[in-house]
Amino acid sequence: MKYEYIFFDLDGTIINSAPGIVASVRHALKKSGVEINDLATLHQFIGPPLADSFQKYCGFTPKQAAKAIEYYREYYTDRGMLECTLYPGIDALLREIYPVGGKILLATSKPEVYARRILEHFQLDRYFFFVAGSSLDESRANKDAVLMYAMEQCGIHSSAAVMVGDREYDVFGAKKAGMPCIGVLYGYGSEAELLSAGAYALARTPAEVAKFF
């Protein structure tokens, strides 16, 4: 076992969360008086902090983005959170590496309260030693902040850890936190995106992820 601690991203790595996130973004945009129909753009909201995405793709001010997040959560909390599915092979992946010796942790830019409910819904919470997500006030939202929070809470040194995620934000966050990142290609990021960001390895399926451990 090369790494003592394995951090997993959630959206695009464990769950296919596009339906619920896209529907929640559409709800927020409609209430904000904005219409974006391009699915590729809407998919860009999956992964990074919502405040960043609303400002980047909609031109919102920080204040407008904060209000849009409120609208987003109206739908997401009521319905969107569970409008998702597990990627095929994820349960088997976690079941396989769980007894190997490494401690499995979650590191997501999704609010921690939502992440916990999703893991419980899919009965995956038993595999996770620690769950780290963003704070509801977005003060802890970027992936590096989430990772460093988890390492501080658990007494983890970055040299003993690795990140597994599907977007460049996972790779950049892992780098800032001092650990490598395995990029998965079945999620929302492309091979070019992950390699350009500096992923040290790629996996096309959950079964390929297991081979690293």
Side-chain angles (χ1 to χ4, degrees):
M1 185 76 178
K2 185 177 180 181
Y3 300 102
E4 187 177 354
Y5 300 96
I6 307 166
F7 286 93
F8 278 87
D9 174 45
L10 183 60
D11 297 322
T13 302
I14 290 176
I15 59 170
N16 177 1
S17 52
I21 291 177
V22 168
S24 300
V25 171
R26 288 187 189 277
H27 175 81
L29 294 178
K30 182 177 181 180
K31 294 196 69 170
S32 301
V34 176
E35 185 175 352
I36 296 179
N37 293 314
D38 179 49
L39 197 57
T41 299
L42 293 172
H43 275 183
Q44 294 302 310
F45 281 79
I46 305 170
L50 285 171
D52 293 349
S53 295
F54 279 119
Q55 292 176 70
K56 181 177 181 179
Y57 302 113
C58 306
F60 287 0
T61 64
K63 185 176 181 179
Q64 289 172 323
K67 191 62 179 178
I69 290 172
E70 291 182 20
Y71 294 146
Y72 174 96
R73 288 175 179 164
E74 289 176 353
Y75 184 95
Y76 191 79
T77 303
D78 184 48
R79 295 175 56 186
M81 184 191 317
L82 298 182
E83 291 179 342
C84 60
T85 56
L86 287 182
Y87 283 109
I90 284 297
D91 188 83
L93 164 64
L94 296 174
R95 191 167 59 248
E96 180 176 346
I97 65 177
Y98 180 72
V100 172
K103 292 181 177 177
I104 304 173
L105 304 90
L106 192 77
T108 175
S109 289
K110 185 185 296 297
E112 194 170 296
V113 62
Y114 297 153
R116 290 183 181 278
R117 287 181 61 186
I118 290 168
L119 291 180
E120 291 168 2
H121 174 75
F122 288 110
Q123 299 181 351
L124 298 179
D125 52 306
R126 64 187 184 275
Y127 297 120
F128 288 85
F129 167 70
F130 190 80
V131 175
S134 69
S135 52
L136 284 171
D137 64 1
E138 297 282 305
S139 61
R140 183 180 70 242
N142 292 328
K143 188 57 62 78
D144 57 299
V146 173
L147 285 167
M148 288 189 278
Y149 159 73
M151 289 191 292
E152 180 181 348
Q153 292 296 309
C154 300
I156 297 170
H157 192 277
S158 59
S159 62
V162 65
M163 178 74 205
V164 180
D166 69 309
R167 296 297 309 277
E168 62 182 3
Y169 309 100
D170 299 305
V171 182
F172 293 147
K175 280 185 176 181
K176 288 183 179 179
M179 68 182 75
C181 181
I182 298 170
V184 300
L185 297 176
Y186 55 82
Y188 303 111
S190 67
E191 181 174 355
E193 174 186 325
L194 290 166
L195 289 177
S196 177
Y200 96 98
L202 298 177
R204 297 189 177 279
T205 65
E208 286 189 13
V209 174
K211 293 179 181 179
F212 289 99
F213 309 113

